Amino acid sequence: GKPISETAICKSICDAGGIDALCDMVASSKDGSQAAIHATGVHANLAQASEKNCELILKMGGVERLVGLLKKSHKLGVSRRVPPDMKLWLEKASEEAANALWQLAAKAPSCNAAIRDAQALGPLIESLLRSGLESTTANYSAMALVELIRSDEASKRNAIGARAARALDRPGPRCPCTCRALFSRSPVAHPAAARAARPLRAAADALAETAKK
């Protein structure tokens, strides 16, 4: 038979009340669980499909839960008590959460504002720096940051606040020179930055311009 389009699948999920269930799954699943990771991935697909879906995700509390997942994944991911296999799942959760936040911020102005209000800038910067510039998580985080900081002047100032400044002074062991490369106006300041996607350059430019003010 004729294959079902992704748009039709997304519509069916929304019509069946799936967004509410997905938001609950993100909030109630165990740390690093595949259920939360898959639910977050569906959030990204739904957000990409239409602005209406983004509004529904926002209405159901999805934005706050995605930001909460990103914060929690980062906090647990840097703990020495967490086993290596769990850290891999937590990194995947961060990747999916960053992607979902990017799609929401890019598609719906109301979600963009809600993500900023939920204090997502700090966790996104931390995810970017912790993961390393070559990672998918870093690229999703950078693209989300681009959408957030270019839409609001206050976000640009916040993005070079205490967390970013602290990261610049103390780069993590997994991303040597990453901070300097990101916040430099030239992406060739470090080989890793040169291989990164254009959103990293856009984020660096926006932050550098703000730093001049």
Side-chain angles (χ1 to χ4, degrees):
K2 186 178 179 180
I4 302 174
S5 68
E6 185 173 342
T7 301
I9 293 173
C10 289
K11 185 177 185 304
S12 297
I13 292 173
C14 294
D15 291 346
I19 289 181
D20 193 12
L22 288 166
C23 290
D24 288 341
M25 194 179 296
V26 171
S28 61
S29 297
K30 294 182 179 180
D31 299 331
S33 72
Q34 293 190 45
I37 292 170
H38 293 320
T40 306
V42 177
H43 271 86
N45 291 335
L46 291 171
Q48 189 177 32
S50 75
E51 184 175 349
K52 181 181 178 181
N53 291 348
C54 294
E55 299 288 353
L56 286 172
I57 291 171
L58 175 60
K59 183 179 179 181
M60 297 297 177
V63 167
E64 290 184 356
R65 290 172 183 178
L66 289 169
V67 174
L69 176 64
L70 190 65
K71 290 178 179 178
K72 196 172 186 180
S73 297
H74 169 70
K75 183 177 180 180
L76 292 173
V78 297
S79 173
R80 294 181 179 179
R81 298 180 180 179
V82 176
D85 57 338
M86 172 65 78
K87 288 189 176 185
L88 291 176
W89 288 115
L90 290 169
E91 177 65 22
K92 185 62 178 177
S94 294
E95 176 187 321
E96 295 291 357
N99 183 23
L101 291 171
W102 167 42
Q103 301 297 343
L104 288 163
K107 202 79 173 183
S110 59
C111 290
N112 191 305
I115 292 168
R116 286 186 268 112
D117 290 344
Q119 306 298 312
L121 287 168
L124 285 168
I125 291 173
E126 289 172 353
S127 292
L128 191 157
L129 298 176
R130 185 188 74 248
S131 302
L133 291 179
E134 302 95 333
S135 71
T136 304
T137 303
N139 278 273
Y140 285 150
S141 297
M143 287 185 278
L145 282 166
V146 169
E147 294 297 334
L148 295 171
I149 64 180
R150 73 181 180 184
S151 65
D152 180 70
E153 187 64 30
S155 293
K156 294 179 183 179
R157 293 193 297 271
N158 291 338
I160 57 170
R163 291 180 185 234
R166 188 160 62 247
L168 281 167
D169 293 334
R170 300 178 182 179
R174 290 185 61 193
C175 51
C177 301
T178 295
C179 304
R180 295 185 184 88
L182 172 66
F183 292 100
S184 168
R185 287 189 60 79
S186 172
V188 297
H190 186 268
R195 293 193 295 272
R198 280 182 292 179
L200 294 174
R201 172 61 183 271
D205 285 346
L207 294 173
E209 287 298 320
T210 305
K212 291 180 180 179
K213 298 179 180 180

